[in-house]
Amino acid sequence: MNGYTKYLTSRVTAGGLSRREFIGRAMAAGITLAVADKLFTESAQAAEPKRGGHLKLGLEGGAATDSKDPAKFLSQFMFCVGRCWGDMLVESDPLTGAAVPALAESWEPSKDAATWTFKIRKGVKFHDGKELTIDDVVATLKRHTDAKSESGALGVLGSIKDIKADGGNLVLTLSEGNADMPLLLTDYHLVIQPNGGNDDPLASIGTGPYRLTSFEPGVRATFEKNRDDWRSDRGYVDSIEIIGMNDATARIAALSSGQVHYINRVDPKTVDLLKRAPNVEILSTSGRGHYVFIMHCDTAPFDNNDLRLALKYAMDREAMVKKILGGYGKVGNDFPINNTYALFPEGIEQRAYDPDKAAFHYKKSGHSGSVLLRTSEVAFPGGVDAAVLYQESCKKAGIEIEVKREPGDGYWTNVWNVQPFSTSYWGGRPTQDQMYSTAYLSTADWNDTRFKRPDFDKLLLQARAELDETKRKDMYRTMAMMVRDEGGLILPMFNDFVNASTKQVKGYVHDIGNDMSNGYVATRVWLEA
Amino acid sequence: MSNPPSGHILPGLRFKQRFPLLALILERFVLSIILLFAVSVVIFGGLEALPGDFATTYLGQSATPQAVANIRQELGLNRPVTTRYFEWLGDALRGDFGSSWASKNSVGEQIGKRLGNSLFLAGFAAVISVPLAVGLGMLAVHFRNRLPDKIINIISLAAISLPEFFIGYLLILFFAVKLGVATFPATVYESMGLVDRLKAIALPTATLVLVVLAHMMRMTRAAILSVMSSAYMETAELKGLGAFRSIVKHAAPNALAPIINVVALNLAYLVVGVVVVEVVFVYPGMGQYMVDAVTVRDMPVVQACGLIFAAVYIFLNMVADILAIIANPRLRHPR
């Protein structure tokens, strides 16, 4: 079974695909009808979720400084904790990434996509027994969009001008059209809280499938099942325990000794060792996160497009994926979007390692001497190794790279977005628009390649308000080509999310949205006795 | 000119002559307080010198300028360093360590839990390792240069040569993964019963014992051996005292001072130096708490942790000195 079929069957197991959909997709992937039919029956039998049991997760990313306030969620640990007790207005489909209803039942845009009306679900109860009202929703969004807010979602919601209740509906008025508005509301900070969390942001009262029963920052969080959950297709286990484990070896030891059921952040270097443990399953999911080498387009010598092209052709992407990601990833094509995004521009030629072309453009650029590349282990796992590997592949094209290893502490303040050529990573965004707006719009704070093109900016704003998908797709294609051929981005690889579980864990959903089944792992899986 | 009568000597000096031990303790105490102040300045200055402040590091790569500005505004990070330092100092002197910038939890409360955990682990390790080390040291002296001595030496040298995380991993591999007899991870939490707690800390305790054992044992051995070469030990031997008895009765008490010192040093290490062991075993102690706080420049937490670590170190050293003086009366009247 190849990766895609495995993925499809896991979707069936999770109850996310009908027979017709499954067989259609499996046959498209080159599987015969008979085999597909058998696969579906098998996975559907495994699909009966079992209820009960105590699920234990060992997660990297917790710290003593973690806050229970959803506005301040930052770590992987809190991302997962928040998904257990809280709901957003909108969720994203694990397979396609499209917006699907959650606390908002449905929504309707105005013609210019600048006004959005969301119908809020009725009969949903908070953990404290109080019913969810439109006022709670309005208060939540107001808290996160307040100019004085410290919310992590503040940047995402920047274009919201007005939030108001209209009967049972939520009406959002934007400063400009945005066809992706519902997807923006999937942000994990935007947990709907009673009175928006204004009374007690740390109370952890939500509408989610679990109630938080204890929490020690950086140590442990425990949950019990919310018996009044408004949904029946989630929350299979009776109780959850999430333990903070920042040491990679500790996580692996805990999983292989069966002390926890699931761990995140498996190091590609050790994944083959972990595979040998008989009771362990590796869960690898394609993601939008990418590792990058960034050049400032406005700083010499990188203000020369020939030099930038030379450096792009000198990147051996296949070797990067194989050696740095251990094969758990996909090659990139020098623009920050891959096929996990809706409206991905297909058919753009894959850029390959070509020392001759690199040498040609290098010569044309007129640059001589070495090029200084700054890197660090914190830029991405294996960042220093990747820089050295790149140095080697450049050598064959006659380009000399000087690798400077910077201290990890302070890398994000002193090197990234400051120095003209450095390594970094991006976590991906829910939409193409957001990815480009965050890092490629001329005025973006995080324009870490200093890519400043008025024509690009204009196109981005046009595409944002465009409700016609075909037209929009075309615009995204043009934008991708601009970044790929003229930008300062070298994007060798998209990294997979590599997690692992014991074989007891069933129903894992490979969600393209984000790591750990988009944070929903604990609410989506069940335990086989 | 006659000497002034003794009544005219400065009162402080007279006190010192009459109660030399008490005076010494008081002196050390005052010195310790001054040292703590110095430590607080060093920590504050050190954090200021680190790249990035709380607002930028806490938000990391997901910081928008607006959010950064809001945090700085709220915490008053725009004010001068000295103002912030003295404000903090004033609160700390009143016993108020404030609340964490990041989690908004009370630092005092958090430290209460974390310090309790750290002391529990350290105490347990100390209760096992100190008698074991001193006993083994005496045993090694008794059998010096013979097989038992050599075995004790080789094992302790091996243990001291391996980094603590490696010992930890080995123990986890054998006792938790392969044999499945030990509890891992060693995460303890409030509602945990004593028996479960003891089970949970078995492996980290074993690691710590192995790490500190060798140091204390070898010091004990060396100290006793150096006493053994003195004249009165020869006398003891000549008057026909049994070998082991002469070690326990005559040599060990006179070797106490250096032993106490090394024990104190190791106890201090057990409380403040076990970050690596805490990380490996997922144990929620003080070390981990402080590291998390330093990572995001959470000043109130770092300051409080730093002060407590310094206080533990200074206190244990003070106790060691005082005990050494009690053990050796000659030290009471320094010339």
Side-chain angles (χ1 to χ4, degrees):
Chain A
M1 220 172 5
N2 67 27
Y4 184 64
T5 335
K6 219 176 188 172
Y7 170 60
L8 285 179
T9 52
S10 78
R11 288 285 301 143
V12 174
T13 313
L17 269 189
S18 72
R19 180 182 216 101
R20 177 193 289 260
E21 277 176 307
F22 174 79
I23 291 178
R25 283 183 185 159
M27 284 175 72
I31 287 174
T32 64
L33 177 64
V35 174
D37 194 51
K38 187 164 158 273
L39 269 177
F40 179 82
T41 316
E42 277 169 9
S43 350
Q45 273 164 358
E48 258 333 291
K50 305 221 170 12
R51 292 191 182 263
H54 179 67
L55 178 72
K56 281 174 96 171
L57 315 180
L59 303 186
E60 188 258 7
T65 43
D66 282 341
S67 168
K68 280 202 283 181
D69 180 357
K72 295 188 184 166
F73 285 172
L74 275 173
S75 62
Q76 291 278 304
F77 188 88
M78 293 316 292
F79 173 47
C80 210
V81 164
R83 293 289 209 204
C84 289
W85 65 261
D87 282 313
M88 332 295 135
L89 287 177
V90 182
E91 286 182 15
S92 65
D93 185 283
L95 190 65
T96 63
V100 292
L103 289 179
E105 254 176 1
S106 60
W107 44 83
E108 205 58 57
S110 63
K111 275 223 170 60
D112 60 353
T115 308
W116 285 80
T117 309
F118 292 81
K119 195 171 165 212
I120 304 301
R121 197 174 293 275
K122 295 229 159 50
V124 177
K125 274 192 184 142
F126 282 113
H127 295 157
D128 61 359
K130 212 182 123 267
E131 194 158 323
L132 167 81
T133 65
I134 179 74
D135 296 336
D136 299 315
V137 174
V138 170
T140 301
L141 291 182
K142 281 204 167 141
R143 184 162 86 91
H144 288 273
T145 50
D146 186 79
K148 287 199 202 76
S149 167
E150 292 164 21
S151 172
L154 188 60
V156 175
L157 303 181
S159 64
I160 297 184
K161 236 173 35 190
D162 186 45
I163 302 163
K164 61 170 192 277
D166 176 15
N169 296 339
L170 167 76
V171 179
L172 299 180
T173 316
L174 314 182
S175 51
E176 76 227 339
N178 191 337
D180 291 325
M181 192 59 223
L183 272 176
L184 300 186
L185 297 177
T186 62
D187 189 291
Y188 67 98
H189 299 96
L190 300 176
V191 175
I192 305 299
Q193 292 174 284
N195 191 23
N198 285 316
D199 307 331
D200 181 5
L202 310 179
S204 303
I205 292 173
T207 57
Y210 292 93
R211 292 166 204 268
L212 187 72
T213 45
S214 78
F215 177 76
E216 284 178 61
V219 183
R220 182 173 172 267
T222 58
F223 298 88
E224 63 174 19
K225 174 94 180 115
N226 169 19
R227 299 285 164 200
D228 298 328
D229 189 11
W230 56 280
R231 268 171 74 172
S232 59
D233 61 341
R234 62 176 185 179
Y236 301 110
V237 297
D238 283 338
S239 51
I240 302 170
E241 183 175 349
I242 306 180
I243 305 169
M245 294 189 181
N246 287 334
D247 185 64
T249 316
R251 286 198 297 282
I252 287 181
L255 183 74
S256 40
S257 63
Q259 306 271 2
V260 295
H261 296 107
Y262 178 90
I263 57 170
N264 67 345
R265 295 277 163 95
V266 176
D267 187 342
K269 283 180 196 147
T270 49
V271 77
D272 285 330
L273 289 173
L274 188 59
K275 261 191 204 158
R276 283 195 231 151
N279 193 34
V280 166
E281 189 148 6
I282 305 294
L283 303 163
S284 159
T285 310
S286 296
R288 294 170 183 163
H290 45 277
Y291 297 169
V292 293
F293 291 59
I294 43 185
M295 307 174 275
H296 283 181
C297 298
D298 63 355
T299 312
F302 308 104
D303 51 358
N304 179 329
N305 197 39
D306 274 305
L307 183 70
R308 296 203 292 269
L309 276 175
L311 289 171
K312 286 174 188 176
Y313 280 115
M315 171 65 74
D316 189 348
R317 293 168 181 74
E318 302 283 345
M320 284 282 168
V321 170
K322 213 172 126 204
K323 296 201 170 111
I324 304 300
L325 297 177
Y328 289 93
K330 313 276 175 303
V331 292
N333 200 7
D334 297 341
F335 63 98
I337 304 298
N338 66 359
N339 61 3
T340 63
Y341 282 90
L343 309 180
F344 167 72
E346 279 151 55
I348 296 180
E349 190 200 346
Q350 172 65 46
R351 183 167 284 150
Y353 178 44
D354 192 334
D356 296 334
K357 266 192 193 161
F360 167 77
H361 285 289
Y362 185 64
K363 207 173 157 214
K364 206 171 143 202
S365 78
H367 181 79
S368 64
S370 67
V371 177
L372 179 63
L373 170 66
R374 290 166 211 264
T375 183
S376 164
E377 258 329 294
V378 300
F380 55 82
V384 178
D385 296 341
V388 173
L389 193 62
Y390 181 54
Q391 188 181 35
E392 284 305 308
S393 71
C394 283
K395 220 177 249 170
K396 279 189 203 146
I399 304 171
E400 195 192 328
I401 300 282
E402 185 191 334
V403 174
K404 185 166 180 211
R405 187 178 184 158
E406 298 275 357
D409 203 11
Y411 188 79
W412 302 114
T413 328
N414 297 338
V415 181
W416 172 73
N417 213 357
V418 176
Q419 298 293 347
F421 193 26
S422 65
T423 58
S424 175
Y425 81 93
W426 277 99
R429 291 293 183 273
T431 64
Q432 293 192 51
D433 174 68
Q434 246 193 309
M435 189 65 237
Y436 285 127
S437 310
T438 316
Y440 301 89
L441 191 68
S442 298
T443 52
D445 300 315
W446 296 340
N447 189 337
D448 57 7
T449 55
R450 305 285 188 270
F451 181 70
K452 288 169 185 166
R453 290 270 302 257
D455 50 345
F456 179 90
D457 296 351
K458 208 175 138 210
L459 206 53
L460 180 63
L461 295 183
Q462 267 175 8
R464 184 181 293 169
E466 180 59 66
L467 289 167
D468 181 328
E469 290 204 348
T470 323
K471 279 191 200 153
R472 217 169 162 215
K473 206 168 168 175
D474 273 348
M475 295 176 185
Y476 281 140
R477 191 192 160 86
T478 317
M479 283 155 61
M481 294 304 287
M482 286 183 187
V483 172
R484 177 179 181 270
D485 295 335
E486 284 142 58
L489 178 77
I490 307 175
L491 197 160
M493 52 195 156
F494 286 87
N495 56 306
D496 286 354
F497 303 121
V498 188
N499 303 307
S501 74
T502 64
K503 291 204 167 131
Q504 260 186 298
V505 174
K506 300 286 173 195
Y508 188 78
V509 181
H510 289 274
D511 193 319
I512 60 170
N514 207 333
D515 201 358
M516 301 186 290
S517 196
N518 206 357
Y520 290 111
V521 50
T523 71
R524 284 172 170 171
V525 300
W526 62 89
L527 293 172
E528 201 84 357
Chain B
M1 275 277 214
S2 63
N3 287 333
S6 58
H8 288 188
I9 298 178
L10 289 168
L13 204 61
R14 201 174 53 188
F15 178 80
K16 209 169 171 180
Q17 273 176 351
R18 203 178 285 174
F19 308 103
L21 198 60
L22 201 62
L24 212 85
I25 293 174
L26 276 177
E27 205 182 348
R28 292 302 308 263
F29 190 72
V30 172
L31 212 67
S32 306
I33 301 287
I34 297 172
L35 229 104
L36 276 180
F37 273 108
V39 167
S40 75
V41 174
V42 169
I43 298 172
F44 214 98
L47 274 175
E48 281 300 318
L50 283 176
D53 67 352
F54 172 75
T56 53
T57 40
Y58 183 60
L59 293 172
Q61 211 198 6
S62 62
T64 58
Q66 174 80 60
V68 168
N70 289 346
I71 289 185
R72 285 209 179 121
Q73 184 65 35
E74 191 200 308
L75 297 175
L77 285 179
N78 300 324
R79 295 172 309 149
V81 191
T82 42
T83 317
R84 283 186 280 129
Y85 172 73
F86 283 110
E87 244 177 46
W88 169 81
L89 194 65
D91 286 344
L93 285 178
R94 274 182 273 117
D96 176 13
F97 284 115
S99 55
S100 154
W101 285 349
S103 66
K104 302 281 180 246
N105 288 321
S106 150
V107 174
E109 200 180 296
Q110 286 288 315
I111 284 189
K113 284 183 211 162
R114 295 285 187 139
L115 188 62
N117 288 345
S118 277
L119 290 178
F120 183 62
L121 180 61
F124 202 53
V127 163
I128 295 174
S129 59
V130 173
L132 199 64
V134 175
L136 282 176
M138 289 204 259
L139 215 64
V141 172
H142 183 60
F143 292 104
R144 65 178 170 280
N145 297 333
R146 282 191 278 154
L147 192 63
D149 181 27
K150 280 181 182 151
I151 291 175
I152 291 173
N153 261 305
I154 288 171
I155 291 178
S156 61
L157 267 180
I160 214 170
S161 314
L162 294 176
E164 59 228 82
F165 70 87
F166 191 68
I167 296 180
Y169 287 154
L170 285 181
L171 292 179
I172 293 170
L173 180 63
F174 284 110
F175 293 103
V177 179
K178 295 265 190 245
L179 299 174
V181 290
T183 310
F184 178 81
T187 313
V188 296
Y189 42 90
E190 269 167 89
S191 54
M192 206 175 196
L194 184 67
V195 179
D196 283 336
R197 226 170 240 263
L198 288 177
K199 270 193 208 158
I201 67 164
L203 286 186
T205 306
T207 311
L208 288 177
V209 167
L210 282 173
V211 170
V212 296
L213 189 65
H215 196 196
M216 290 192 284
M217 193 284 287
R218 290 178 67 79
M219 196 53 157
T220 307
R221 182 180 181 275
I224 296 180
L225 273 180
S226 86
V227 175
M228 294 289 277
S229 61
S230 56
Y232 61 86
M233 287 310 294
E234 231 166 287
T235 313
E237 205 180 320
L238 287 175
K239 79 178 182 189
L241 219 54
F244 198 66
R245 222 171 137 218
S246 68
I247 292 175
V248 174
K249 269 209 100 143
H250 295 284
N254 284 300
L256 262 184
I259 296 176
I260 289 171
N261 257 315
V262 75
V263 166
L265 212 66
N266 277 290
L267 288 185
Y269 163 81
L270 282 179
V271 179
V272 310
V274 298
V275 181
V276 175
V277 173
E278 284 176 8
V279 171
V280 168
F281 287 98
V282 198
Y283 188 81
M286 283 287 280
Q288 185 62 59
Y289 188 47
M290 184 169 177
V291 169
D292 284 351
V294 172
T295 318
V296 297
R297 322 277 188 257
D298 195 343
M299 287 289 280
V301 179
V302 180
Q303 284 278 6
C305 288
L307 273 191
I308 285 170
F309 283 164
V312 167
Y313 234 100
I314 292 168
F315 174 76
L316 282 172
N317 270 304
M318 188 170 86
V319 170
D321 282 358
I322 293 167
L323 284 180
I325 289 168
I326 292 172
N328 186 352
R330 272 177 299 176
L331 294 176
R332 255 173 249 174
H333 300 281
R335 255 155 277 275

